[in-house]
Amino acid sequence: MGKIQGSCLCGKLRFSSNADPAMTVVCHCKDCQKQTGSAYSIVTSVPLNSLKISGIPKSYTTHGQSGRVVERKFCGDCGSPIASIAEFAPDLFIIKAGVLDDPNWLTPEFECYTDNRLPCTPATDLPQFSGMPRID
Ligand SMILES: [Zn+2]
Ligand SMILES: [Zn+2]
C-alpha cells in the first residue's frame, strides 16, 4: 500500500506511490475548470518514476494558460480526471486531489491563476499568484 493511492470513479484506473508528495496547490485556471467541471482543482504531485498505475488512462493534450503543454490524463470509461503531466515539470505526476482515496491530509502551498477565480470561491490566506509562480 503506497503513501498515496487513488482511483477514478469506476475504479478501472488505480494508482499508488510511496514517494512523499510535493507541491500541493489550488489551481483556478480555465482548463482545470473545463476539465473538472468545477470551480478549481486542488492538485498534489509525486515523481513519475515512483508511480504504480493499473489501467491505461486516456490523454488529452492542451496548451495551458502558461502556453506550455499539459497532458491531462483521465479515465476513458467514467471520465474522471486523474492527473496531468506538464511540460514545466515533466518528472511529476500531478494528481487531482479528489481522486485520492484519502485527500484529507492535503495542505496547499499557494493558489495560482487567481485572475480566473470564480467570485463564489473567495481567496484563502494562502499566497495568491495570477500565474504559476515556479515556472515564470
Ligand atoms: Zn474510471
Ligand atoms: Zn489549472
Side-chain angles (χ1 to χ4, degrees):
M1 206 162 107
K3 282 184 185 172
I4 270 198
Q5 52 192 353
S7 73
C8 64
L9 179 61
C10 76
K12 284 188 180 148
L13 293 179
R14 278 210 65 84
F15 62 87
S16 66
S17 167
N18 280 313
D20 290 320
M23 203 178 87
T24 299
V25 308
V26 178
C27 185
H28 297 273
C29 85
K30 190 68 186 169
D31 285 3
C32 280
Q33 290 175 344
K34 285 277 188 184
Q35 191 201 15
T36 63
S38 191
Y40 55 85
S41 283
I42 300 176
V43 297
T44 190
S45 54
V46 294
L48 258 183
N49 63 13
S50 75
L51 187 75
K52 293 195 174 100
I53 187 161
S54 61
I56 299 172
K58 287 205 167 187
S59 194
Y60 184 72
T61 299
T62 60
H63 289 79
Q65 273 182 245
S66 69
R68 303 193 209 193
V69 173
V70 180
E71 269 181 65
R72 291 175 175 270
K73 306 287 187 187
F74 62 97
C75 177
D77 287 300
C78 70
S80 290
I82 296 290
S84 296
I85 299 174
E87 189 182 357
F88 68 82
D91 299 332
L92 292 180
F93 192 66
I94 304 170
I95 302 163
K96 302 285 186 204
V99 298
L100 293 174
D101 292 345
D102 176 13
N104 293 299
W105 52 271
L106 288 171
T107 309
E109 293 165 47
F110 59 83
E111 298 189 42
C112 59
Y113 296 107
T114 55
D115 290 353
N116 204 51
R117 168 199 307 283
L118 297 191
C120 62
T121 56
T124 65
D125 293 336
L126 296 171
Q128 306 286 310
F129 295 97
S130 60
M132 171 60 86
R134 299 197 181 176
I135 60 165
D136 293 335

